[in-house]
Amino acid sequence: MTLDLILYGLYRQHGQTQPAMPGLMAFHPPRKPARGRERDAFIVALALGGNATPPGEEAETLVNDCALAFYNTPGALTSALRLAAETVNRRLLERNLAATGRGQYASGALILAALRENQLTLLQCGPAHAHLARGGQAQHIHDASLSGQEIGLNQNFGQYFSQTVLQPGDRVLFSPMRVLPREWEGALIFDRGLTPIGNTLARLMSAAPDNMSAALIQVMEGRGALTLAQAGPDTDAQAKAEPEQQPPPASSRTEEALAHLSRLPSESPELARLPHLPTVPPLLDATSPAPDTPEFEPQESTPAHFVGRAPQDQPSAYAIPPQSASDDEAAIVDQLADAALLREREFPPSIPRITLLEPDASPPVKKATAAREPLHAAAPRPPSAGTRRAARIAVRLIDAWHTLTARFGAALGRFAPRLLPGADPNSSAGLAGGVGVTVAIAVPLLIATLGMVMYARFGRAATYDSYLAQAQALRAQAERETDPLRQREAWENVIVQLNLAEQHDRTTETIALRQEAQARLDVLLGVKRLTFAPAFTTPLDAEVSRMAASESDLYLLDARQGRILRAALTGRGFELDANFDCAPGPRGNYTIGPMVDVLVLPKLNSLTGTALGVDAAGNLLYCAPGQVAQDLALPPPPTHWGRVTALALDGNKLYALDAPANGVWIYSGKDSVFSDAPLLYFGLQVPDIKDAIDLAVSGDELYLLHADGTLTRCTYNRVRPADTRCDSELPLSHAFPAYGTRNAFAEAHFTQMVFAAPPDIAMLILDADGRSVFRIGLRMFELQSVFGAAGDSIALPGALTAMTVSPNHVLYVAIGGQAYFTNEAP
């Protein structure tokens, strides 16, 4: 599907709303882009701060350089986005380093978006947020670990990739800001894609702070046009205004303007000038109906922003205007002086495939797998004889009621004139005045009440019976089927009809049929339902991103603060150890940064630690209950650290994944102390692992999980290490014919993996969005089962954020600040 995007810049500086957002531009491909960029539209949203921000023309040149780097980079889309972001960071860093002596700097946040047909890929750098609004739901796209890492201050910077498929009617909000107003998400949810875009803009601006930068994108079906529009200079006043009248109906002028925008030239290299959005309409009250009005009306005499193709020329040098630095900014200036030596790159986590469910008033349906394939309902059957009889009775009752009310209305018309001034009070043609007024008020209320009662008694019951009958017929069809694929489709259609029936009534009959259908689907798709229990009475004030477990302790990595928490298993369940010392900060010999991974140590080790944490620079922290944590630095590899992404411990060897540097390093230790220089795991064949997000090691076998969900397996050659071989994109299979042509592995969103507890020979892989765990056998790399939660045993909504398994086969998963565990995992 080809889409049109209309971008509205929202910008306010020192309390004054500006007509456009500096740093917001959109581009079509140039005449001769690099291979792979021919169909990619490109959007840049750059917000700059500091005490020496570039002026408008210089900032525009910086955005043009970003687009030029994107369209000149061949190959993978993520590589092009990454290089474009690095171009902006490098330009700002060079600018800042040149002005270090004067104490001047500029930094900020960046959002890059690439649209190919209807697939949108995002890269967020620095404190940036994005929201996708669809049908009354809003998905927040944000990585909290990037909130303090502004671009322009370091050679390495945090990057967060995400993907989604856009649909007409979607609205996307880009916010390169550190803190978002809480009301913004509510404003996006309220409009449900139906409210005119001007009203949504007004709601956003009414809750915006004095300094803000954002862009709201409206998605429409079209021909691939990109339009930058501005919200008008008086948005603030209109955001506070009360509606006085309904807007006029849609005009032909608006339709012509929309047609003109969809016919923009696609081959011209120049930037297209388009009219901006006029003044937005007044903010509607929350109870007001959404008027059927055009969402904008272009004007020929208004100024324009630039939307179009990537620039063809190179930028000029940047000049910094002389400004003085404040005392508060001394720390940033000191950082810039040594920026060439800093190695603190924030590697992007797994690329999530963002999905928003369509709004549905029915109770949630627990799907059989993590798959999000839409279910296909069977064609409605004709109503049964009982249903037709009930409908005929309802029609006769309604006709009788209409006759009665008509006669009563005629009588009321005869005596109503007696209620007027001057009427003869002694006349017997009408009722007394007070009685007449009472009757005039009561009759409409009585009619409305009777209508509601009759619909509830006959209409809702008849509709419920119809959907339930169809669900039962589909159940019988599923029982007769012998083909597993057709069985799956029939049972899925049963659930669809039950959803429709339960919109009208939810009974024990529908509940029982739903449970039967879900159980049959689980068997067909290899799903095993496990009962999880919460580890804590209330969720912790943390964002759990990694976990490790022993037989008695659970260790949780809090990504929000970069610390490791300990929960001890007692007779009353898990209790948080408030005195556990395992947080970043200055230690004996090193300063520990926010930790990125956690491991459980063997019971016997020279530092008496029970848990091992590591930061991105390779500094280790040995932690134990009741002891002060001890620090130790891993000897850096010859190529220096890019960023430690993950650790794995196998016997007396520690494996460190440095994805940005494309390496896995082996440290040989004694008693869990690793002080020797590392060896590179790979030999002559070095696979591309720059997007690797996790690793697991068992003996000579090493497995790497990539951000796109694929696996790489490497086998170490002890005799000739140079002959170590790796197999990329390891093929996975399953023995469940009910899946048909569906690729269960591609539909899943894999984020972490761990070996099952011995003696099992299996890999557990976390499907975050599907809230499930895939169990893969390592002999044939075949799906053995999918672990899902039974009923509502995992009460918190949202994607799973972490997973681990203990030596005694206890499976743990986490959502936000809550961990859940089960003893039922095989």
Side-chain angles (χ1 to χ4, degrees):
M1 179 183 296
T2 304
L3 301 174
D4 289 350
L5 301 186
I6 303 178
L7 294 81
Y8 303 91
L10 306 176
Y11 185 67
R12 181 177 290 167
Q13 191 72 16
H14 304 300
Q16 298 296 320
T17 300
Q18 305 298 324
M21 172 189 168
L24 175 64
M25 297 187 72
F27 301 88
H28 285 294
R31 285 193 180 93
K32 296 181 179 180
R35 179 177 53 83
R37 303 283 78 79
E38 299 86 355
R39 296 184 298 143
D40 296 336
F42 186 54
I43 301 172
V44 182
L46 173 66
L48 296 176
N51 61 5
T53 57
E57 294 182 359
E58 191 174 345
E60 183 177 323
T61 303
L62 185 61
V63 174
N64 289 339
D65 292 343
C66 177
L68 189 63
F70 174 78
Y71 283 113
N72 285 342
T73 303
L77 180 59
T78 54
S79 300
L81 290 170
R82 185 181 294 113
L83 184 59
E86 290 174 352
T87 299
V88 176
N89 184 72
R90 183 174 64 255
R91 295 275 194 267
L92 288 175
L93 183 59
E94 292 172 352
R95 189 180 191 272
N96 290 333
L97 292 175
T100 301
R102 300 194 297 273
Q104 298 175 352
Y105 75 97
S107 61
L110 175 68
I111 299 179
L112 302 181
L115 179 67
R116 180 178 297 173
E117 294 180 350
N118 61 343
Q119 179 170 296
L120 184 70
T121 302
L122 299 180
L123 172 58
Q124 300 176 56
C125 307
H129 302 256
H131 285 82
L132 171 63
R134 177 183 301 159
Q137 299 186 59
Q139 174 73 37
H140 187 193
I141 309 167
H142 175 63
D143 185 3
S145 63
L146 304 182
S147 59
Q149 304 175 20
E150 297 182 340
I151 62 172
L153 302 179
N154 196 343
Q155 284 185 337
N156 300 314
F157 57 100
Q159 303 177 26
Y160 180 61
F161 284 93
S162 57
Q163 285 182 342
T164 186
V165 176
L166 296 181
Q167 300 177 8
D170 289 352
R171 291 177 182 177
V172 184
L173 180 66
F174 290 168
S175 311
M177 302 162 54
R178 186 177 299 276
V179 180
L180 290 183
R182 295 182 179 179
E183 297 83 357
W184 276 18
E185 186 169 349
L188 292 174
I189 294 175
F190 173 76
D191 72 56
R192 301 182 65 87
L194 303 175
T195 304
I197 192 70
N199 296 340
T200 304
L201 291 168
R203 290 190 184 94
L204 296 176
M205 294 300 293
S206 66
D210 290 341
N211 295 283
M212 57 82 70
S213 297
L216 182 63
I217 302 177
Q218 182 181 11
V219 182
M220 306 171 62
E221 187 173 358
R223 302 180 182 178
L226 299 176
T227 308
L228 254 76
Q230 59 189 41
D234 53 350
T235 303
D236 290 334
Q238 297 185 13
K240 302 174 183 178
E242 293 295 332
E244 298 180 357
Q245 60 183 3
Q246 292 292 336
S251 64
S252 59
R253 179 183 177 187
T254 300
E255 297 173 356
E256 294 173 0
L258 286 171
H260 167 72
L261 294 179
S262 65
R263 291 194 298 268
L264 290 176
S266 58
E267 296 297 329
S268 173
E270 295 81 19
L271 300 178
R273 294 180 175 270
L274 299 176
H276 81 290
L277 179 71
T279 302
V280 297
L283 174 65
L284 293 181
D285 184 78
T287 59
S288 302
D292 184 16
T293 59
E295 297 184 355
F296 69 96
E297 182 176 348
Q299 299 177 356
E300 299 178 356
S301 60
T302 54
H305 293 290
F306 289 111
V307 182
R309 305 181 178 279
Q312 305 294 330
D313 53 350
Q314 294 291 337
S316 58
Y318 294 98
I320 301 178
Q323 300 182 32
S324 60
S326 64
D327 295 337
D328 296 337
E329 296 151 352
I332 295 179
V333 175
D334 292 339
Q335 285 184 2
L336 293 171
D338 299 324
L341 302 177
L342 296 179
R343 288 292 186 271
E344 211 173 338
R345 178 170 181 169
E346 183 68 22
F347 186 75
S350 175
I351 300 179
R353 288 174 275 282
I354 307 161
T355 57
L356 286 177
L357 299 179
E358 295 299 327
D360 191 355
S362 62
V365 179
K366 295 290 185 293
K367 293 195 176 180
T369 68
R372 284 160 291 279
E373 179 181 299
L375 303 178
H376 302 283
R381 300 191 335 162
S384 62
T387 302
R388 290 196 294 269
R389 283 195 299 271
R392 285 196 294 269
I393 294 173
V395 170
R396 293 193 187 106
L397 289 174
I398 293 173
D399 289 342
W401 176 252
H402 286 169
T403 303
L404 179 61
T405 53
R407 293 177 179 176
F408 189 81
L412 183 63
R414 289 194 297 270
F415 72 77
R418 303 293 182 178
L419 302 176
L420 299 175
D424 185 3
N426 299 320
S427 174
S428 60
L431 300 176
V435 176
V437 172
T438 303
V439 172
I441 295 175
V443 167
L445 294 177
L446 182 60
I447 293 174
T449 304
L450 257 176
M452 293 173 61
V453 170
M454 292 183 66
Y455 172 73
R457 175 63 184 88
F458 297 102
R460 291 177 63 90
T463 306
Y464 165 83
D465 290 340
S466 175
Y467 287 127
L468 179 59
Q470 293 182 57
Q472 292 170 339
L474 288 167
R475 175 189 177 279
Q477 176 187 342
E479 294 282 3
R480 292 191 301 268
E481 293 290 351
T482 58
D483 181 12
L485 177 59
R486 296 180 65 86
Q487 287 178 347
R488 187 207 83 197
E489 294 173 346
W491 285 116
E492 287 176 343
N493 288 334
V494 169
I495 293 180
V496 170
Q497 296 302 317
L498 289 175
N499 289 341
L500 297 173
E502 289 184 341
Q503 292 180 9
H504 303 277
D505 195 6
R506 192 166 188 258
T507 64
T508 56
E509 194 171 6
T510 61
I511 294 173
L513 185 53
R514 179 185 296 277
Q515 292 174 347
E516 180 187 5
Q518 189 64 66
R520 294 296 188 91
L521 282 172
D522 289 346
V523 173
L524 289 170
L525 299 175
V527 177
K528 181 177 179 58
R529 299 288 171 181
L530 310 178
T531 301
F532 286 84
F536 309 106
T537 305
T538 58
L540 306 177
D541 183 18
E543 189 69 28
V544 179
S545 61
R546 293 272 184 174
M547 292 191 296
S550 65
E551 293 183 353
S552 59
D553 293 340
L554 175 64
Y555 298 95
L556 309 101
L557 175 58
D558 177 13
R560 191 179 300 165
Q561 300 185 29
R563 58 178 177 167
I564 296 174
L565 306 175
R566 171 180 176 263
L569 182 61
T570 66
R572 298 181 301 274
F574 284 93
E575 292 185 2
L576 189 66
D577 184 357
N579 299 318
F580 188 65
D581 178 28
C582 204
R587 294 289 175 175
N589 299 311
Y590 305 95
T591 298
I592 307 297
M595 282 171 277
V596 297
D597 204 356
V598 57
L599 299 175
V600 171
L601 290 171
K603 293 183 178 180
L604 298 179
N605 59 83
S606 59
L607 297 180
T608 66
T610 59
L612 177 66
V614 63
D615 66 9
N619 298 313
L620 302 178
L621 193 62
Y622 294 78
C623 309
Q627 297 183 14
V628 177
Q630 303 182 60
D631 59 313
L632 184 68
L634 288 173
T639 58
H640 300 288
W641 290 115
R643 180 188 186 274
V644 176
T645 308
L647 289 183
L649 185 62
D650 184 56
N652 62 348
K653 294 184 183 298
L654 183 70
Y655 295 78
L657 169 62
D658 185 355
N662 207 67
V664 174
W665 299 96
I666 309 175
Y667 289 86
S668 297
K670 182 179 181 181
D671 295 333
S672 299
V673 175
F674 309 96
S675 55
D676 296 338
L679 298 176
L680 182 64
Y681 179 90
F682 305 114
L684 298 177
Q685 178 195 8
V686 180
D688 184 5
I689 61 170
K690 287 187 174 63
D691 63 341
I693 57 177
D694 203 1
L695 84 164
V697 182
S698 177
D700 294 334
E701 300 289 332
L702 178 142
Y703 296 86
L704 294 162
L705 176 63
H706 296 263
D708 60 1
T710 59
L711 290 173
T712 293
R713 180 188 64 171
C714 300
T715 303
Y716 189 73
N717 192 319
R718 294 178 180 268
V719 179
R720 292 177 54 86
D723 293 338
T724 297
R725 289 289 179 262
C726 295
D727 298 321
S728 299
E729 296 189 11
L730 198 64
L732 302 178
S733 62
H734 61 76
F736 301 101
Y739 281 103
T741 59
R742 282 171 48 181
N743 188 338
F745 307 106
E747 292 173 349
H749 174 204
F750 295 144
T751 57
Q752 293 180 17
M753 65 179 179
V754 65
F755 285 115
D760 292 347
I761 305 177
M763 176 81 71
L764 302 180
I765 309 179
L766 178 66
D767 176 13
D769 293 346
R771 294 163 62 96
S772 60
V773 176
F774 281 52
R775 178 186 171 94
I776 308 294
L778 296 183
R779 288 192 176 93
M780 302 297 294
F781 300 103
E782 185 177 74
L783 176 65
Q784 295 178 344
S785 58
V786 179
F787 299 149
D792 297 327
S793 59
I794 297 182
L796 289 180
L800 300 179
T801 57
M803 172 200 65
T804 192
V805 64
S806 69
N808 52 344
H809 296 265
V810 178
L811 176 64
Y812 297 87
V813 296
I815 298 180
Q818 181 63 279
Y820 295 88
F821 66 96
T822 179
N823 297 313
E824 299 176 358

